[in-house]
Each structure stands twice: as structure tokens, then as C-alpha cells.
Amino acid sequence: MKPALDVITIGRSSVDLYGQQVGGRLEDMASFSKAVGGCPANIAIGTARLGLKSGLVTRVGDEAMGRFIREQMEREGVSTQGIITDKQHLTALVILGVRDEDSFPLIFYRDNCADMALTEEDIDETFIASAAAIVVTGTHFSRETTAAAQKKAIRVAKANGRKVVFDVDYRPNLWGLLGHGAGESRYVRSDAVTEHLQPILADCDLIVGTEEELHIAGGSEDTLEAIRAIRTASKATIVCKRGPMGCVVFPDAIPDSLDDGVKGPGFPVEVYNVLGAGDAFLSGFLRGWLRNEPLETCCAYANASGAFAVSRLLCSPEIPTFPELQHFLKTGSRHKALRFDQEINHIHWATTRRPQPDTLMALAIDHRMQLEAMAQEIGAPVERIPDFKVLAVHAAARVADGRPGFGMLIDGTYGREALFRAADHPFWIGRPVELPGSRPLDFEGGGSLGAKLVEWPVGHTIKCLCFYHPDDPPELKERQERDLLRLHDAARRIGRELLVEIIAGKHGALKTDTLAVILQRLYDLGIKPDWWKLEPQRDDAAWHAIGEVITVNDPYCRGIVLLGLEAPEHELEAAFAAAASEKQVKGFAVGRTIFNDAARRWLKGEINDEAAIADMAARFQRLVDAWQRVSGRAKAA
């Protein structure tokens, strides 16, 4: 029977907390980025990104960090069947930093942690047999119970004709050889560790390590002698990682020189952070090796993946996806520091962002200026607006009924509580950043844009409305473009999705090519939002022109949602029908058509909360029905 998975990794899983102040001491770090870490967890993510079907066997704590690891694995497409929730132990943590090109301080918080509580009973024989290969790792041979778990996995794999991969993954202080402050150390000679590891070698099909790791596995500090000792014990293919020199592979007899092994192309890049590079390397090698590609190709995948990792800050988040890797191997990069290559960065972002349903039907309640004007007109206090926005969340939830593909646009000015309540549902959430009605574009609240955005939940999509027309004065266009570029940069740096809303028709004629010209200009500037929000177009040709611009400039764009501009429902249904044939149009985000009447009557005191909710839900439902009707017909055609 063909294995259901390509690879299962076994052992460490942790939460990495990376200091964001590069060049500083850990003592002085003021903020941290959070990511999944631990060699096996990183490799599970890396192989999944590179197109393999992967799984992970580990333990995580019954707390938020453990849930984070499990949820991130699910987002990455890794099978979580082998992840055990441990109610007695906490998830491991690692504090890391980048001091300079040669110093990468880290502290392991692993005393009595969840993954080191792994036992033989946690090894599900059926699950292990479901993969073409397993990866066992050095750290989990450091204790009797975890070693027993990995040895059982090896026995099961061999009994079922599966391959065994051994990543030496040598961390001296995790073997108790150094103190807590020496987490950065990669090598301490230890005959005891060598004696622990050498019995493992005979059952391995692939053994991977740095020169120092092969020293500990082979029991010699002469690299060639160590590799020969490994060959005496094992018929495995041996991979020696050599940092900036790439790698050398020995599938058979060991030659007289390291340079006589099988090699692939090297990729000299600026070293930003070496932590996690080996995990990216092995992920790339396995992508080729498990697909029976030539060893030279396996080396190319591995070396390139490692190059990506050392050129970026974090561990698992920086491992490339296969489209990203293919792009790099085909076109290279003019940047020695790959993190500055905008084209590669965009592919990486677009192929690793959180999954999203293929359609989006959103109730927009992010209006501030309009609701303020309404309240003033009818003599209602603006302090009631936040309560009304909460009612809108209830209305949207009533229609969505827990189904995917629904969302809301909610502001943080009057919608703070509504944002909290929207998070109770599986909504896509967009949040405006622009100063209402500003032209030229300005951002609400002043001060540092990035500092404000970093406080937003990671699931909030940044929404920015810009009134922009091709016939605008050059100085107006220049200022608006500058601020959109600034916003785009901030969104990418802090890892938030971006929706750019363009309204052109209020400040000039809306011709067949107007929106297409605007989008092309913004793409030429390097602005590639995840979503576009656009006004209805006059004809099919206009939609076709817009769709063509997006397809050519950003095949990873999530698509377009239609805005409403307070149009009557029958006009919106006609607009939906006109747009549905363009595949880039994925839904709508409409506000005043849905909430205007209910808001006015509720603020006046003419209807109660339930009546307001029911009215908005009915209107939203009619638009949902209309969109699904016309989009269904478009797909059928």
C-alpha cells in the first residue's frame, strides 16, 4: 500500500521567542516575535511547505503555547495525529537573539517540558507505518524514555519497509554537558554521547549533520575519519553540511577527500541568523530525496533552502515554499541578503499566509463619519454608535451561522467592542486604517503607523480606502502613492494582510480602463495587496481589463470584493451579475445598503435591538443569496 504521508518527524517542538532588536544582547531585548521551533517541528513545516505530506510526533502542553503549535501545524498542512497534549508538562520555550554575524545567543526553557515526556506508548504503529520515512533527532536520544520512543519508531518503520532519517541535531547543553547559558554552543566532544548515538546508525537510510555533528556521531574530530567510522557502522547515505560551502553527500564508499563527494550548487548569501538553517536544509534535501531525484538536485534544494533561512530572522516561518524555491533556482536574486528581495518576499508571504475561503461576503460596519453625521442629524448621542455596531456583529453571525466565507469590516474608533465580539465567530475581519474621507490619503490617529498596527491581532486585515483617479494632479497622486507604499511596507513587515479600496468615480469619469490603469500604476510601484475592494464597473470590458492586470502582476492576489456605495439592493444585484463572470471578483463588502435604515430607526428609538438585528440580517441574507446565485451561474458557465 502506498504510504499516506511522505515523512513523519519525531521529537522536539517548542515556541521560539525571537528578540527583534538585531545586534543587541538578550538582556536588552524589548520585544519578541513568536514562532514554532524545535528541529523536528521545523522540518515538519519545511517539508510541508516544499510539497511533501508530513506529520509530527511530539508532546505539547495543555495551554496556549501548546495550542499555538498544534494550530500552526494545521495551518501549514502538517498532520497533527501524532501530537499528544500533555496535561502535566508545559510546552518548551526558547529565547533567541542575533548579536552579530557570529553570535546567536539562546536559552532553552526545557526543564521537564512536554516534548521530553514522550514515551514508547506515544508511538502509534499504524501512524508511523503510514509514512514513507521517519526522521529521528539527536536530542531525543539524550534521555532513556525519549530514546525508547524513537527506537520503537525505528523498529516499526523498518518492519514496514520505511526509510529512517537521522538528523544528528547535536545540542551539548540538552545532553547536560553545558549550563543553561550555553544554548548557543554547537559542539563539545563527548564519548558518552557518541556511545549513545552509534548503535542508531545501522538502522538509518540517511544520516545528516554538520561537520561537528558528524564528529560526535563518528567519534572523531577529523571529519573524514568520522564519516568513515559512520560508514563502517551504516550503509546510509551520509550528508555533511558545510555552511556557506554547501554540502557533500556520500552515498557509497568514502573517498579520500571531502571534496570528492556528490555536491550541488552553493548559494553565497549574507548570514543574518544561522539558527534553523539546518532544519531548512534537511527539509529541502528530503523534498528531493523522498521523490527519488538525483543527489545533485537534493543538494540544490537543500543549499537553497538553507540560504533562505540564514538570510532571515526566524526559524520555521522563514523556510521557503516550493514555488518560492523554484523561483529562486530559476531566476536567482540580485540581493545577497535575500530578505531584501521584494519579489521573493512576496511569493513567500503569499504562499505562507493563513488559509482563506475562496469567496468573501462581508458586512461593512467600519463607517465612522457617516454614522456620526446620522447621529448628529437625528439628535442621538454618538456614544450609542458602538452599541449599534455590536448589533451588526450579531446580524452577520446570524446569517453566517458558523460557515466559512463570511466577514466584517469594523473600525477601532466606534467598533472596539464589536471587534471583540466578531472574534467570537470564524469571521474574516477587515479594519480600516485611513482617516475617514481623507484626500489626500491620511492615516487615523497620527504618529507611527507601524507602532499602531503591531498592536492589532494577527487575523485582522488592514483595510485602506484611497480616493484616487488617474486625472488627479501629480502632486496629489504622488502623496497618495507614497502613503500607500508606506502602508504596504508596514503591513508586510508586521505580517498583516492588506486590502486596498480604490474609489475613482467620485473624483472623475469612470471609463472602461480607469480602474485597470490605477491598479497597474500601483503594481508598478510595488504595491501588491492581498485584496482589492472596488466599485462596480460599467461593463464586462472594464472587469476584464481589471482582472487581466491582477492576473499578470500578482497571480497570488486573493481577489476583489465589491463595495456598495449605499446603492439599492436591486442595483447591487445587477452589479454582482456584471462582475461575477470575472474570476478575480470573489464577493462583496457592503455596509450602508444593509445597515442604514436599521441604524437610523434604532438611534431614533423607533426599534429595539432585536428588530435592528433582524432587519440587518434579512438585508445581508438577500445580498448573500444574490451573490451566490450569480456567482453560481458564472461558475456553471
Coordinates of all heavy atoms in Angstrom, one line a residue, residues 344-378:
I344 N 10.8 37.8 -4.2 CA 10.8 36.6 -3.4 C 10.0 36.7 -2.2 O 9.3 35.8 -1.8 CB 12.3 36.2 -3.1 CG1 13.0 35.7 -4.4 CG2 12.4 35.1 -2.0 CD1 14.5 35.4 -4.2
N345 N 10.2 37.9 -1.5 CA 9.4 38.1 -0.3 C 7.9 38.0 -0.5 O 7.1 37.5 0.3 CB 9.8 39.5 0.3 CG 11.1 39.5 1.0 OD1 11.7 38.4 1.2 ND2 11.7 40.6 1.2
H346 N 7.5 38.5 -1.7 CA 6.0 38.5 -2.0 C 5.6 37.0 -2.2 O 4.5 36.7 -1.7 CB 5.7 39.3 -3.2 CG 4.2 39.3 -3.6 ND1 3.3 39.8 -2.7 CD2 3.6 38.7 -4.6 CE1 2.1 39.6 -3.3 NE2 2.3 38.9 -4.4
I347 N 6.3 36.3 -2.9 CA 6.0 34.9 -3.1 C 5.9 34.1 -1.7 O 5.0 33.4 -1.4 CB 6.9 34.1 -4.0 CG1 6.9 34.8 -5.4 CG2 6.6 32.7 -4.1 CD1 8.0 34.3 -6.4
H348 N 6.9 34.4 -0.9 CA 7.0 33.8 0.4 C 5.7 34.2 1.2 O 5.1 33.3 1.8 CB 8.2 34.2 1.2 CG 8.4 33.6 2.5 ND1 8.8 32.3 2.7 CD2 8.1 34.0 3.8 CE1 8.8 32.0 3.9 NE2 8.4 33.0 4.7
W349 N 5.4 35.5 1.3 CA 4.3 35.9 2.0 C 3.0 35.3 1.5 O 2.2 34.8 2.3 CB 4.2 37.5 1.9 CG 2.8 38.0 2.4 CD1 1.8 38.4 1.5 CD2 2.3 38.1 3.7 NE1 0.7 38.8 2.3 CE2 1.0 38.6 3.6 CE3 2.8 37.8 4.9 CZ2 0.2 38.8 4.7 CZ3 2.0 38.0 6.1 CH2 0.7 38.5 5.9
A350 N 2.8 35.4 0.2 CA 1.5 34.9 -0.4 C 1.3 33.4 -0.3 O 0.2 32.9 -0.2 CB 1.5 35.3 -1.9
T351 N 2.4 32.7 -0.2 CA 2.3 31.2 -0.1 C 2.4 30.7 1.3 O 2.3 29.4 1.5 CB 3.3 30.5 -1.0 OG1 4.6 31.0 -0.7 CG2 3.1 30.8 -2.5
T352 N 2.5 31.6 2.3 CA 2.5 31.1 3.7 C 1.5 31.8 4.6 O 1.3 31.4 5.7 CB 3.9 31.4 4.3 OG1 4.2 32.8 4.3 CG2 5.0 30.6 3.6
R353 N 0.7 32.7 4.0 CA -0.3 33.4 4.8 C -1.4 32.5 5.2 O -1.5 31.4 4.6 CB -0.8 34.6 4.0 CG -1.5 34.3 2.8 CD -1.8 35.5 1.9 NE -2.3 35.0 0.6 CZ -2.3 35.8 -0.5 NH1 -1.9 37.1 -0.4 NH2 -2.7 35.3 -1.7
R354 N -2.2 32.9 6.1 CA -3.2 32.0 6.6 C -4.2 31.6 5.6 O -4.6 32.4 4.7 CB -3.9 32.6 7.8 CG -3.0 32.8 9.0 CD -3.7 33.4 10.2 NE -2.8 33.4 11.4 CZ -3.2 33.2 12.6 NH1 -4.4 33.0 12.9 NH2 -2.3 33.2 13.6
P355 N -4.7 30.4 5.6 CA -5.7 30.0 4.6 C -7.0 30.8 4.6 O -7.4 31.4 5.7 CB -6.1 28.5 5.0 CG -4.9 28.1 5.8 CD -4.4 29.3 6.5
Q356 N -7.6 31.0 3.5 CA -8.8 31.8 3.4 C -9.8 31.2 2.4 O -9.4 30.7 1.3 CB -8.4 33.2 2.9 CG -9.5 34.1 2.4 CD -10.4 34.6 3.5 OE1 -9.9 34.9 4.6 NE2 -11.7 34.7 3.2
P357 N -11.1 31.1 2.7 CA -12.0 30.6 1.8 C -12.0 31.3 0.4 O -11.6 32.5 0.4 CB -13.4 30.8 2.5 CG -13.1 30.8 3.9 CD -11.7 31.5 4.0
D358 N -12.4 30.7 -0.6 CA -12.3 31.3 -2.0 C -13.3 32.4 -2.2 O -13.2 33.0 -3.2 CB -12.5 30.1 -3.0 CG -11.9 30.6 -4.4 OD1 -10.9 31.2 -4.4 OD2 -12.6 30.3 -5.4
T359 N -14.3 32.6 -1.3 CA -15.2 33.7 -1.5 C -15.3 34.5 -0.2 O -14.9 33.9 0.8 CB -16.6 33.1 -1.9 OG1 -17.5 34.2 -2.3 CG2 -17.2 32.4 -0.7
L360 N -15.7 35.7 -0.3 CA -15.8 36.6 0.9 C -17.1 37.4 0.8 O -17.2 38.2 -0.2 CB -14.6 37.5 1.0 CG -14.6 38.5 2.2 CD1 -14.8 37.8 3.5 CD2 -13.3 39.3 2.2
M361 N -18.0 37.2 1.7 CA -19.2 38.0 1.8 C -19.2 38.7 3.1 O -19.3 38.1 4.2 CB -20.4 37.1 1.7 CG -20.5 36.4 0.3 SD -21.7 35.1 0.2 CE -20.9 33.8 1.2
A362 N -19.0 40.1 3.1 CA -18.7 40.8 4.3 C -19.8 41.9 4.5 O -20.2 42.6 3.6 CB -17.3 41.4 4.3
L363 N -20.1 42.1 5.8 CA -21.0 43.2 6.2 C -20.0 44.3 6.7 O -19.3 44.1 7.7 CB -21.9 42.8 7.3 CG -23.1 43.7 7.7 CD1 -24.1 43.0 8.5 CD2 -22.6 45.0 8.4
A364 N -20.0 45.4 6.1 CA -19.1 46.5 6.4 C -19.8 47.5 7.4 O -20.9 48.0 7.1 CB -18.7 47.3 5.2
I365 N -19.2 47.6 8.6 CA -19.8 48.5 9.6 C -18.6 49.3 10.2 O -18.6 49.8 11.3 CB -20.5 47.7 10.7 CG1 -21.3 48.6 11.7 CG2 -19.5 46.8 11.5 CD1 -22.5 49.1 11.1
D366 N -17.6 49.6 9.3 CA -16.5 50.4 9.7 C -16.7 51.9 9.5 O -15.8 52.7 9.7 CB -15.2 49.9 8.9 CG -15.4 50.1 7.4 OD1 -16.5 49.8 6.9 OD2 -14.4 50.4 6.7
H367 N -17.9 52.3 9.1 CA -18.2 53.7 8.9 C -18.2 54.5 10.2 O -18.7 54.1 11.2 CB -19.6 53.8 8.2 CG -19.8 53.0 7.0 ND1 -19.8 51.6 7.0 CD2 -19.9 53.4 5.7 CE1 -19.9 51.2 5.7 NE2 -20.0 52.2 4.9
R368 N -17.5 55.6 10.1 CA -17.4 56.5 11.3 C -18.0 57.8 11.0 O -19.0 58.2 11.6 CB -15.9 56.6 11.6 CG -15.2 55.4 12.2 CD -13.8 55.2 11.8 NE -13.7 54.8 10.4 CZ -12.6 54.8 9.6 NH1 -11.5 55.3 10.1 NH2 -12.6 54.4 8.4
M369 N -17.5 58.4 9.9 CA -18.0 59.8 9.6 C -19.5 59.7 9.3 O -20.3 60.6 9.7 CB -17.2 60.2 8.3 CG -17.4 61.7 8.0 SD -16.2 62.1 6.7 CE -16.6 61.0 5.4
Q370 N -20.0 58.7 8.5 CA -21.4 58.7 8.1 C -22.3 58.4 9.3 O -23.4 59.0 9.4 CB -21.6 57.5 7.1 CG -20.8 57.7 5.8 CD -19.4 57.1 5.8 OE1 -18.9 56.9 6.9 NE2 -18.9 56.8 4.6
L371 N -21.9 57.6 10.3 CA -22.7 57.3 11.4 C -22.7 58.5 12.4 O -23.7 58.8 13.1 CB -22.3 56.1 12.2 CG -22.7 54.8 11.5 CD1 -22.0 53.6 12.1 CD2 -24.2 54.6 11.5
E372 N -21.6 59.2 12.5 CA -21.5 60.5 13.3 C -22.5 61.5 12.7 O -23.3 62.1 13.5 CB -20.1 61.1 13.2 CG -19.1 60.3 14.1 CD -17.7 60.8 13.8 OE1 -17.5 61.5 12.9 OE2 -16.8 60.4 14.6
A373 N -22.5 61.6 11.4 CA -23.4 62.6 10.7 C -24.9 62.2 11.0 O -25.7 63.1 11.2 CB -23.1 62.7 9.2
M374 N -25.2 60.9 10.9 CA -26.5 60.4 11.1 C -27.0 60.7 12.5 O -28.1 61.2 12.8 CB -26.6 58.9 10.8 CG -28.0 58.3 11.0 SD -28.1 56.5 10.8 CE -27.7 56.3 9.1
A375 N -26.1 60.4 13.5 CA -26.4 60.7 14.9 C -26.7 62.2 15.2 O -27.6 62.6 15.9 CB -25.3 60.1 15.8
Q376 N -25.8 63.0 14.6 CA -26.0 64.4 14.8 C -27.3 64.9 14.1 O -28.0 65.8 14.7 CB -24.8 65.2 14.1 CG -24.8 66.7 14.3 CD -23.6 67.3 13.7 OE1 -22.8 66.7 13.0 NE2 -23.4 68.6 14.0
E377 N -27.6 64.4 13.0 CA -28.8 64.8 12.3 C -30.1 64.5 13.1 O -31.0 65.3 13.1 CB -28.9 64.1 10.9 CG -30.1 64.4 10.1 CD -30.3 63.4 8.9 OE1 -29.3 62.8 8.5 OE2 -31.5 63.3 8.5
I378 N -30.1 63.4 13.7 CA -31.3 63.0 14.4 C -31.3 63.3 15.9 O -32.2 62.9 16.7 CB -31.7 61.5 14.2 CG1 -30.6 60.6 14.7 CG2 -31.9 61.3 12.7 CD1 -30.9 59.1 14.5

